[in-house]
């Protein structure tokens, strides 16, 4: 709830405490606060710290076959790759995210948010074709979620990019 209210410090503290507690009792659920912590870090623009949470999370999710959550985590990694300017890694992530979303039909506002942020970062760096592809992912998520106004606005942003 704290994250949704914009209380990122409070959310971070809560997620770290939950991770510690769940790990101390050997729970497999510790991955969930870890992924949410990564989202808080992305909201703050702490992309490398977010990557430090996401990459091990991706490995855990893949090993457990949790493909929907894996799509979610890889969508968040798009932001990290976009920020770092890792175009080839971004392409690999987008291909994997797209495949996983098609397979699982996973839809989540965080996926839409992450894709939009990645698109914004790519657009700011002049990677307009990559930004268009990422915005399209966000638009698909928003549309499926029923957020047609935001999807329409983002379509305008995407279609207005140079090139």
């Amino acid at each position: 709830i704290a994250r949704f209210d914009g209380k990122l410090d409070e959310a971070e503290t809560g997620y770290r405490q939950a991770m510690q507690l769940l790990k101390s009792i050997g729970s497999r659920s510790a991955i969930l606060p870890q992924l949410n912590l990564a989202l808080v870090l992305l909201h703050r623009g702490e992309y490398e710290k977010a990557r430090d949470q996401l990459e091990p999370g991706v490995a855990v999710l893949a090993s457990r076959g949790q493909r929907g959550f894996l799509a979610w985590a890889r969508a968040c990694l798009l932001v990290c790759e976009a920020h770092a300017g890792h175009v080839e890694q971004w392409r690999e992530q987008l291909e994997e995210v797209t495949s996983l979303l098609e397979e699982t039909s996973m839809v989540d506002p965080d996926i839409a948010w992450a894709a939009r942020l990645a698109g914004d970062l790519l657009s700011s760096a002049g990677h307009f074709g990559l930004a268009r592809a990422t915005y399209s992912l966000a638009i698909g998520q928003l549309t499926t979620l029923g957020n047609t106004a935001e999807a329409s606005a983002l379509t305008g942003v995407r279609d207005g990019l140079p090139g």
Side-chain angles (χ1 to χ4, degrees), residues 18-96:
M19 283 171 49
Q20 185 177 25
L21 174 65
L22 292 169
K23 285 180 182 179
S24 73
I25 62 172
S27 174
R28 292 171 45 110
S29 297
I31 188 70
L32 298 176
Q34 179 179 344
L35 295 174
N36 278 291
L37 173 60
L39 203 56
V40 167
L41 296 168
L42 289 175
H43 274 278
R44 284 196 182 137
E46 297 178 31
Y47 303 115
E48 289 309 309
K49 289 181 180 179
R51 180 193 302 276
D52 290 344
Q53 298 300 320
L54 289 165
E55 287 181 341
V58 163
V60 169
L61 294 168
S63 73
R64 293 182 185 170
Q66 293 179 296
R67 311 225 1 115
F69 283 123
L70 184 58
W72 185 98
R74 287 191 176 277
C76 290
L77 275 171
L78 286 171
V79 178
C80 301
E81 302 303 0
H83 176 262
H86 297 156
V87 172
E88 286 309 311
Q89 291 89 336
W90 174 89
R91 287 181 203 278
E92 292 169 13
Q93 290 296 344
L94 182 64
E95 184 177 306
E96 187 67 22

Side-chain angles (χ1 to χ4, degrees), residues 93-105:
Q93 290 296 344
L94 182 64
E95 184 177 306
E96 187 67 22
V97 169
T98 302
S99 175
L100 287 164
L101 291 175
E102 288 173 5
E103 173 190 331
T104 64
S105 300

Side-chain angles (χ1 to χ4, degrees), residues 1-15 40:
I1 295 175
R3 177 170 60 91
F4 295 112
D5 289 341
K7 299 175 183 173
L8 299 181
D9 290 340
E10 185 179 322
E12 179 178 359
T13 299
Y15 290 137
V40 167

